[in-house]
Amino acid sequence: ADLCLRLPRQPTGVKSLEREAWTLPRLAGQLRLRIPRLVEAIPADDAYPQPWLLCDWIPGEQYAPALLDDEVAAARDLAGFVAGLRALDPTGAPRAGRAPLARLDVVTRA
């Protein structure tokens, strides 16, 4: 009940999982909101053909306005989280995403 498995279903998901395994320990304790803690990275083997991650589970619910007592405070918390991410030094971080955000902007807005 307190753990989460991250299993890529296809080989194409392995790079994303590797980025997550690299990133989570480096972000731990540096952000305003809680993020999953990497418990263990398990390599591919005969039992499962891709590497996988074991992380702690963060309980919660999908956003709905009725769940918040103060939407302004929640927005400030989220803004602080994003500002905290932007303030971190990305040196050595693996390249993220499938394409530069500028190229995905039009598709995302549509």
Side-chain angles (χ1 to χ4, degrees):
D2 60 346
L3 296 173
C4 173
L5 294 177
R6 301 276 295 129
L7 298 139
R9 293 177 296 169
Q10 301 174 358
T12 55
V14 171
K15 283 202 179 285
S16 177
L17 191 85
E18 290 170 344
R19 284 192 300 266
E20 196 171 323
W22 186 92
T23 304
L24 286 175
R26 286 163 178 81
L27 296 179
Q30 296 193 63
L31 299 171
R32 186 175 189 152
L33 300 176
R34 185 174 167 203
I35 62 168
R37 179 183 57 88
L38 178 63
V39 174
E40 189 171 353
I42 295 93
D45 61 19
D46 292 338
Y48 193 76
Q50 325 301 343
W52 51 285
L53 303 180
L54 182 63
C55 298
D56 66 344
W57 178 258
I58 300 175
E61 297 180 48
Q62 184 173 344
Y63 169 79
L67 295 174
L68 296 176
D69 293 328
D70 186 347
E71 275 194 328
V72 172
R76 286 188 179 120
D77 287 343
L78 180 58
F81 179 79
V82 172
L85 280 174
R86 292 181 60 112
L88 296 173
D89 181 4
T91 303
R95 189 177 186 284
R98 296 181 203 150
L101 289 178
R103 197 165 78 207
L104 297 174
D105 183 63
V106 173
V107 174
T108 302
R109 290 176 190 272

